[in-house]
Amino acid sequence: KQEVTQIPAALSVPEGENLVLNCSFTDSAIYNLQWFRQDPGKGLTSLLLIQSSQREQTSGRLNASLDKSSGRSTLYIAASQPGDSATYLCAVYGNNRKLIWGLGTSLAVNP
Amino acid sequence: DTGVSQDPRHKITKRGQNVTFRCDPISEHNRLYWYRQTLGQGPEFLTYFQNEAQLEKSRLLSDRFSAERPKGSFSTLEIQRTEQGDSAMYLCASSRGGPGARSYEQYFGPGTRLTVT
């Protein structure tokens, strides 16, 4: 059974720092992996989708990497801003392409 | 492409009442997924449809829950005899299904927040 783990559960950094959020999964036979952002009490915003054949994707200050063999993905946020404060969720596409989720990393960027 | 929409956005109900939520997917998407998210947790898969056929249901979906997707367009999720433990955000997503690695990318609606008092 696929399990997704995110470390750390919470992170607090000063504005301007570069940071890395980690996601690991137990079954390397995934299709794709997707990172989402969720603001308190709100729905999900897709940040990056990494196809199973890719090793990384970039969008603005965000870079996500994927290493299927080791069961890991990282989300790198450059030059963090207070507006980046949110919960970041990692999800893998499993059987029937349904998403299997981690518990998220709660990020606070302090001005 | 108007995105995935969900209605209502918020629902407060008393224990024991029935509630129904609606999800309208992106028009050309043939797959539709329902997830549930409780406070402090990641979303959990509930069920999914390909066109009008419900192809998988999670064990989380007790017999009080039923989902339909008549005509393969919008979907409804009904909860009968609601319990306080049903309080959660109910998320709907849609995707294409077919050849191509990106064809299954899921697009999410804003969610319906249910509070059972």
Side-chain angles (χ1 to χ4, degrees), chain A residues 1 32 34 36 38 41-44 46 49 51-52 54 57 89 93 95-99 101-103, chain B residues 31 33 35 37 40-45 48 55-56 59 89 91 101-102 104-106 108-110 113:
Chain A
K1 177 188 172 187
N32 299 327
Q34 196 162 356
F36 293 85
Q38 188 171 37
K42 304 293 186 183
L44 298 164
S46 177
L49 171 78
Q51 299 176 36
S52 58
Q54 296 177 321
Q57 277 285 342
L89 290 155
Y93 284 74
N95 290 340
N96 287 325
R97 307 301 194 269
K98 64 179 183 285
L99 286 168
W101 302 78
L103 296 180
Chain B
R31 287 193 170 205
Y33 299 79
Y35 296 88
Q37 184 180 26
Q41 302 293 313
E44 295 173 297
F45 168 79
Y48 98 96
L55 296 187
E56 186 174 347
R59 288 171 296 170
M89 174 81 89
L91 296 161
R102 288 197 72 98
Y104 295 96
E105 181 176 1
Q106 293 180 28
F108 281 81
R113 179 166 295 284

Side-chain angles (χ1 to χ4, degrees), chain B residues 30-58:
Chain B
N30 61 356
R31 287 193 170 205
L32 187 148
Y33 299 79
W34 285 99
Y35 296 88
R36 179 174 70 185
Q37 184 180 26
T38 53
L39 200 61
Q41 302 293 313
E44 295 173 297
F45 168 79
L46 292 179
T47 188
Y48 98 96
F49 293 82
Q50 179 153 315
N51 301 313
E52 66 276 9
Q54 187 174 20
L55 296 187
E56 186 174 347
K57 288 174 27 174
S58 164

Side-chain angles (χ1 to χ4, degrees), chain A residues 44-110:
Chain A
L44 298 164
T45 300
S46 177
L47 297 174
L48 290 164
L49 171 78
I50 309 178
Q51 299 176 36
S52 58
S53 59
Q54 296 177 321
R55 293 192 65 84
E56 66 177 337
Q57 277 285 342
T58 298
S59 176
R61 294 183 294 109
L62 304 179
N63 176 277
S65 67
L66 174 62
D67 183 344
K68 284 179 60 177
S69 61
S70 67
R72 292 182 180 179
S73 176
T74 60
L75 179 66
Y76 176 83
I77 303 177
S80 58
Q81 302 170 358
D84 295 331
S85 299
T87 296
Y88 290 81
L89 290 155
C90 166
V92 300
Y93 284 74
N95 290 340
N96 287 325
R97 307 301 194 269
K98 64 179 183 285
L99 286 168
I100 302 162
W101 302 78
L103 296 180
T105 294
S106 177
L107 173 65
V109 180
N110 305 306

